[in-house]
């Protein structure tokens, strides 16, 4: 399958590029939600966020933040929506992970409002528990309690955690990946 964003990155397809470095590209959307709608994408092809390296995620969002500030200044807007459509069911059309920067102004006519769902207390508690179990420990080094952080090198810790996860969650991991593959656009 051809990827339009990869074609833009490789210079095979025209686009209004507004920023580029060795890892990231940003260009104007040809189907803008508002004037100045920008797409920020890693140069390395990855269909959904789960397939993007931590390093690229880090850089894509840093660049998106920088561009968002620039949009504020240059287009005299009042806000931005930074949106990731992750998976076909979430409205993703291009099979290449990206962050949309959508400039906003009072009365621009764009609607993101929704009717809040009514949940019972026990439904909320169940969801909270399920999510906490699945998410597990913090992934950011800064969030690890000091004693633990001193005992182990961050890299060694990561490897250890990875192995443990593999052993403990072999089957679970597999079904998760299958689910993710199904979601790819
Ligand atoms: Zn691509």
């Amino acid at each position: 399958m051809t990827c339009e964003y990869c074609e833009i990155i490789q210079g095979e397809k025209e686009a209004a590029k507004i920023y580029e470095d060795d890892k990231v590209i940003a260009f104007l959307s040809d189907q803008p939600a508002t004037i100045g709608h920008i797409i920020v994408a890693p140069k390395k092809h990855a269909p959904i966020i789960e397939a993007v390296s931590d390093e690229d995620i880090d850089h894509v969002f840093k660049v998106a933040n920088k561009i968002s500030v620039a949009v504020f200044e240059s287009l005299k807007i009042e806000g931005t929506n930074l949106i990731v459509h992750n998976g076909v069911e979430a409205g993703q059309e291009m099979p290449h992970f990206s962050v949309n920067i959508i400039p906003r102004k009072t009365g621009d006519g764009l609607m993101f409002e929704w009717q809040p769902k009514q949940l019972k207390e026990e439904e909320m508690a169940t969801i909270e528990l399920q999510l906490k179990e699945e998410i597990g420990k913090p992934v950011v080094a800064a969030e690890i309690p000091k004693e633990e952080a001193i005992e182990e090198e961050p890299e060694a810790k990561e490897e250890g955690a990875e192995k443990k996860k593999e052993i403990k969650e072999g089957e679970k991991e597999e079904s998760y990946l299958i689910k993710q593959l199904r979601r790819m656009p």
Side-chain angles (χ1 to χ4, degrees), residues 19-160:
Y19 176 85
E20 187 172 7
D21 62 29
D22 56 339
K23 286 200 189 78
V24 164
I25 193 164
F27 51 90
L28 293 178
S29 168
D30 59 2
Q31 291 175 308
T34 62
I35 295 163
H37 180 169
I38 294 155
I39 311 266
V40 187
K43 285 190 168 177
K44 190 167 184 276
H45 179 92
I48 53 176
I49 197 167
E50 288 87 338
V52 183
S53 69
D54 285 353
E55 198 188 336
D56 276 357
I57 287 176
D58 188 50
H59 195 58
V60 165
F61 278 97
K62 274 181 186 159
V63 168
N65 185 22
K66 188 179 159 172
I67 292 171
S68 179
V69 172
V71 171
F72 255 89
E73 298 295 326
S74 59
L75 299 185
K76 307 286 174 234
I77 49 154
E78 292 154 357
T80 51
N81 287 110
L82 275 74
I83 301 175
V84 174
H85 300 298
N86 200 35
V88 176
E89 294 84 350
Q92 189 179 355
E93 288 172 353
M94 215 53 74
H96 190 127
F97 164 74
S98 68
V99 177
N100 291 264
I101 302 174
I102 303 176
R104 300 303 307 271
K105 251 182 191 172
T106 311
D108 61 17
L110 201 58
M111 302 285 274
F112 283 120
E113 286 82 20
W114 55 80
Q115 276 293 322
K117 295 263 186 292
Q118 297 298 318
L119 265 83
K120 287 178 192 142
E121 244 176 69
E122 57 260 43
E123 285 177 311
M124 277 295 258
T126 307
I127 292 161
E128 185 187 341
L129 201 69
Q130 282 174 336
L131 287 174
K132 275 184 183 167
E133 265 181 32
E134 191 64 46
I135 294 164
K137 284 184 178 178
V139 289
V140 181
E143 288 177 31
I144 296 166
K146 268 185 184 169
E147 295 155 46
E148 268 185 77
I150 293 161
E151 271 171 27
E152 287 181 69
E153 290 291 318
E155 268 179 44
K157 189 169 181 64
E158 230 169 70
E159 268 176 36

